[in-house]
Amino acid sequence: RQNMAFLDFAEHPHSRLVTNRLLTWLPFLLSKLKVAAFPVHQVESQLTASNDGHFYRAHVDRDSETQLERVLTCVYYFARQPAQFSGGELRVYDALSAGPGKQPKHQAETFQELAPVANRMVVFPSDSFHELRPVRCPSRRFEDSRFAITNWIWSQPGAEPERPHGWGHLKCGRVAPGLAAISASE
């Protein structure tokens, strides 16, 4: 892995703007991805700048014990226009099932490759294998980098019945009845 990650980005107002918009669209995203509705625990946010030679090998975002509750990975791209870099595609691999009693998924040789188009968000399940293809940025200037805001939407591991429904009340531990109905009907 080579890139520049700003791990404290979640506290920035721009992060909250993206997070709020993402949560507004969550019911639609869940139905399109055929993911069952789940109670949201938190939205983790990171800003990444990728410059000349930067990459990130194939991995999943839900592979360690501390990250088991990540459900969706959402990557929002932005850059100077016209873009001053090339490459930096997101490659999302198809998954193969290993069968009962084995790791549920492993990386297939087939994939979809998505260009990092400014003002585009790509959303996929966090247990999908994916990678950042090498970036070429001849100027090597920071402002010419490929920028991405990555948000991980976490599921609440247990219910907290005293909390009300709604995205503004993360950690409620329950799925709002309307969202459950939308998810079931799709």
Side-chain angles (χ1 to χ4, degrees):
R1 173 182 185 164
Q2 288 186 351
N3 59 23
M4 297 172 276
F6 302 89
L7 303 176
D8 62 348
F9 182 67
E11 302 306 316
H12 195 277
H14 287 98
S15 172
R16 288 191 294 277
L17 176 70
V18 173
T19 298
N20 288 340
R21 180 62 58 97
L22 182 60
L23 289 174
T24 299
W25 283 91
L26 186 59
F28 174 77
L29 296 170
L30 292 173
S31 73
K32 287 298 180 188
L33 293 170
K34 297 182 178 20
V35 172
F38 59 91
V40 175
H41 171 64
Q42 71 174 355
V43 180
E44 180 184 2
S45 187
Q46 172 182 301
L47 171 62
T48 306
S50 301
N51 206 283
D52 197 53
H54 290 176
F55 65 94
Y56 198 165
R57 290 196 174 101
H59 64 286
V60 295
D61 292 338
R62 190 178 177 174
D63 66 340
S64 75
E65 199 161 308
T66 60
Q67 299 171 344
L68 286 178
E69 303 305 325
R70 283 180 175 171
V71 178
L72 294 180
T73 298
C74 315
V75 184
Y76 175 75
Y77 298 107
F78 63 99
R80 290 178 64 183
Q81 295 299 308
Q84 302 298 303
F85 66 89
S86 61
E89 296 86 0
L90 174 66
R91 185 175 280 183
V92 181
Y93 289 89
D94 295 321
L96 299 172
S97 176
K102 298 181 181 177
Q103 181 182 8
K105 288 185 177 182
H106 61 274
Q107 180 179 329
E109 291 184 25
T110 55
F111 55 84
Q112 292 184 30
E113 197 162 270
L114 305 157
V117 176
N119 202 29
R120 172 189 285 173
M121 181 177 279
V122 178
V123 181
F124 54 92
S126 295
D127 62 352
S128 300
F129 287 90
H130 59 285
E131 70 177 295
L132 163 62
R133 303 295 296 153
V135 174
R136 297 289 165 241
C137 184
S139 75
R140 298 185 181 207
R141 294 191 328 228
F142 177 77
E143 61 269 21
D144 291 339
S145 297
R146 168 200 178 270
F147 293 98
I149 297 172
T150 305
N151 287 291
W152 295 276
I153 302 178
W154 290 55
S155 175
Q156 173 69 23
E160 292 183 31
E162 71 281 1
R163 294 190 183 251
H165 297 294
W167 305 122
H169 304 284
L170 299 182
K171 302 183 183 181
C172 67
R174 297 180 287 163
V175 175
L179 178 57
I182 291 170
S183 180
S185 70
E186 293 294 325

